Amino acid sequence: MGGADARIVRNTALVIVALVALRLVAAAFTPITFDEAYYWMWSKSLAGGYYDHPPMVAFVIRAGTMIAGDTELGVRLVSILLALPMSYAIYRSAAILFGGARVAATSAILLNVTMMASVGTLIVTPDAPLLVASSFVLFFLAKVLETGRGVWWLAVGAAVGAALLSKYTAMFFGAAILIWLAAVPKLRRWFLSPWPYLGGLVALALFSPVILWNADHQWVSFAKQLGRAKIEDFRPVFIAELIPTQIAFATPLVFLLGAMGLHALTWHRAGALASRVLIETMFWTIVVYFVWHSLHARVEANWFAPVYPPFVVAAAAAANLVPWQPRQRRLADFCLRWAAPVGTVMFAALIVQANTGWLSGYRRDATVRSVGVGWRELAAEIEAVRIRTGASCVLAPDYGTTGWLAFYLPRGTCVAQQNQRIRWVNMPEPDPKLLAGKLIYVDELREGGHPVLEDFFTQVTQVAQLQRKRGPLVVETYGIDLLEGARGDVLDRSPPPELVP
């Protein structure tokens, strides 16, 4: 490695470490989201699968809380630190596929300044480990291409298996790899080799706990996720959300570079055939599915996490390799120069806004419902009501409120979701003795109260109205109901809709 390349590597490493450190600081003081609280509860009862997703996110959170405790930083610690090996994988992938430290460094930095990576590793969801695993899938496929050694297929299988343990979306990697091998003449020999199939067995072996868990639970997780978009539900309005949300998640300048790079690779303007096709198939196989999905149901922006590794490599190729005309060259140079500052400022602004509401003048925004600002204070008020009423357990109507209550109430407090018990099938049931006495029910204040509770209790009395606030903004007002006189089992054990004929 020459002096110039060594300097690029060193500077890239310093930038990425600084970005990771910024996320760690943000993680320490930003309240957790309702999804994170839910997955934190999973991490207390590790299993081969869960109602919503495979188990990787629970293991990531468990590892972090073993180091930093049951705190906001503990929940997020390992997810954020995984950005370091992720960055290495992207750096090496780009270096192998397109050559040169500059393209590799650009890829690693561009990935880290996207909101998908910066926010996606800070807010721990299944997409965080999926993004990391996807980076290694690309890296190990690049090693197959570079070395021609079959043993790298085992590493590919391990990375795909880790991705499958993160989220079911990873199943599309199999199709993408097959298309890549079929589309590149020199790679078709792998169809006659045992190594890709052995790699598939490795992936299957890693994924087998999820299969076994689903087999033990009437395949409920598969039914839930695979049934999200129904062909008969044709609602193309959702496709209009795709591009705006991805511009935001990629950040505008990275999005422009990525689009330019994909166009250039399609028209053979950079890189060898095998490298170009690998990037295109890893990107478009998943994107085509989500475009189809968006014709029938909403596609959340974070679902595109597995396409970001090839996308940023395409962006780096656009910035450093493609022989653009002068006008396009100026655009590419502008995007490259300002992508990192813009992405960093966007991340910092989002964190400030989520915690304070300053940037919107304390008005509502997209973060106000999901980030648990105000919950620590609200939980203290709920605990005071529980003690005053003599309630032995706290019930909630949804998984998000249940997770927040469990995280912010004193440790050991009995907390349970009154319905949708399939979500908690891996966890110990609440002590029947705690459910036999007075209970309080925490839900957003609703006109007409909660008539359904009268099927379970003889007396339902509202005892408090409490507000969750972000600065002067009232985010939600909660009604606290005292429940007395249980009519048998207080938990609604109706089967989930996926299991209802």
Side-chain angles (χ1 to χ4, degrees):
M1 181 184 296
D5 285 355
R7 186 165 54 254
I8 290 172
V9 171
R10 182 180 65 252
N11 292 341
T12 301
L14 290 174
V15 169
I16 291 171
V17 168
L19 292 171
V20 169
L22 178 62
R23 291 172 212 159
L24 289 171
V25 172
F29 66 79
T30 301
I32 63 173
T33 65
F34 59 78
D35 277 341
E36 289 177 295
Y38 180 42
Y39 302 138
W40 169 77
M41 293 186 74
W42 287 7
S43 75
K44 299 304 178 184
S45 299
L46 297 176
Y50 299 86
Y51 173 57
D52 306 80
H53 295 290
M56 185 66 82
V57 66
F59 283 86
V60 168
I61 292 174
R62 179 67 168 269
T65 56
M66 289 175 65
I67 298 169
D70 291 318
T71 62
E72 287 88 349
L73 178 60
V75 168
R76 296 159 169 161
L77 178 63
V78 169
S79 175
I80 294 172
L81 293 179
L82 282 174
L84 299 174
M86 174 192 76
S87 301
Y88 171 79
I90 289 299
Y91 183 97
R92 294 289 297 125
S93 299
I96 292 168
L97 295 175
F98 294 99
R102 190 169 297 279
V103 174
T106 301
S107 298
I109 292 174
L110 289 182
L111 180 58
N112 275 276
V113 299
T114 64
M115 301 295 272
M116 183 66 76
S118 59
V119 177
T121 57
L122 170 67
I123 304 300
V124 191
T125 70
D127 297 290
L130 175 61
L131 178 61
V132 178
S134 301
S135 301
F136 278 92
V137 172
L138 183 63
F139 173 40
F140 293 141
L141 288 171
K143 291 298 292 184
V144 168
L145 181 62
E146 178 188 41
T147 67
R149 296 178 59 197
V151 70
W152 281 106
W153 282 108
L154 303 182
V156 172
V160 172
L164 286 167
L165 286 173
S166 303
K167 204 169 185 182
Y168 297 127
T169 313
M171 73 175 100
F172 290 103
F173 284 139
I177 292 169
L178 289 175
I179 294 171
W180 178 53
L181 295 180
V184 181
K186 73 174 185 178
L187 298 179
R188 292 171 190 161
R189 67 181 181 88
W190 287 116
F191 286 120
L192 302 178
S193 167
W195 287 109
Y197 307 103
L198 291 173
L201 289 176
V202 170
L204 181 63
L206 288 173
F207 187 59
S208 61
V210 182
I211 299 174
L212 294 174
W213 185 92
N214 271 275
D216 287 341
H217 295 87
Q218 300 177 269
W219 309 102
V220 65
S221 184
F222 290 164
K224 174 180 171 58
Q225 294 298 338
L226 298 180
R228 276 184 177 270
K230 298 179 176 62
I231 294 176
E232 62 268 21
D233 297 336
F234 184 70
R235 291 181 289 177
V237 64
F238 294 119
I239 199 169
E241 298 178 1
L242 281 183
I243 293 179
T245 57
Q246 289 313 306
I247 291 175
F249 265 61
T251 71
L253 301 185
V254 175
F255 185 88
L256 275 173
L257 278 177
M260 293 172 70
L262 290 170
H263 177 270
L265 296 182
T266 299
W267 294 101
H268 309 173
R269 301 189 66 186
L273 173 65
S275 298
R276 295 196 310 270
V277 174
L278 177 58
I279 295 299
E280 297 274 6
T281 55
M282 292 289 283
F283 180 85
W284 287 112
T285 304
I286 295 175
V287 168
V288 165
Y289 165 74
F290 281 134
V291 169
W292 174 85
H293 188 113
S294 69
L295 294 174
H296 307 279
R298 174 170 281 109
V299 174
E300 301 295 340
N302 54 295
W303 294 0
F304 282 84
V307 310
Y308 270 67
F311 187 70
V312 296
V313 173
N320 294 285
L321 298 180
V322 178
W324 299 109
Q325 295 297 320
R327 185 175 179 181
Q328 288 82 9
R329 180 73 265 164
R330 287 193 297 272
L331 176 61
D333 289 343
F334 176 85
C335 291
L336 179 61
R337 182 178 301 111
W338 291 103
V342 168
T344 304
V345 169
M346 287 179 64
F347 171 76
L350 180 64
I351 296 302
V352 170
Q353 174 65 14
N355 281 276
T356 68
W358 292 344
L359 302 182
S360 65
Y362 298 108
R363 290 187 293 272
R364 288 182 177 272
D365 67 289
T367 69
V368 73
R369 294 276 298 191
S370 59
V371 178
V373 173
W375 252 100
R376 192 174 297 279
E377 297 78 10
L378 175 63
E381 297 180 70
I382 293 172
E383 175 66 2
V385 173
R386 187 191 71 80
I387 294 172
R388 173 168 58 84
T389 58
S392 54
C393 195
V394 183
L395 301 184
D398 58 80
Y399 74 85
T401 305
T402 303
W404 269 330
L405 286 165
F407 191 83
Y408 286 110
L409 284 175
R411 294 290 177 258
T413 302
C414 173
V415 176
Q417 184 176 350
Q418 194 268 337
N419 56 4
Q420 295 185 331
R421 296 306 301 165
I422 186 64
R423 292 185 180 278
W424 315 102
V425 69
N426 296 321
M427 303 168 201
E429 283 287 299
D431 187 339
K433 295 179 181 178
L434 298 177
L435 296 177
K438 295 179 180 180
L439 310 173
I440 59 172
Y441 187 80
V442 179
D443 189 18
E444 288 184 61
L445 190 64
R446 301 180 190 277
E447 186 176 349
H450 302 88
V452 69
L453 293 177
E454 296 174 3
D455 296 335
F456 294 89
F457 300 92
T458 60
Q459 189 170 346
V460 180
T461 308
Q462 187 175 109
V463 293
Q465 293 183 14
L466 304 176
Q467 294 178 336
R468 175 163 82 94
K469 302 178 73 175
R470 186 179 71 182
L473 173 68
V474 176
V475 179
E476 290 143 341
T477 300
Y478 287 88
I480 313 299
D481 293 329
L482 179 64
L483 311 177
E484 300 176 271
R487 305 177 189 270
D489 193 347
V490 304
L491 301 179
D492 182 354
R493 302 184 186 277
S494 302
E498 294 81 10
L499 300 182
V500 176

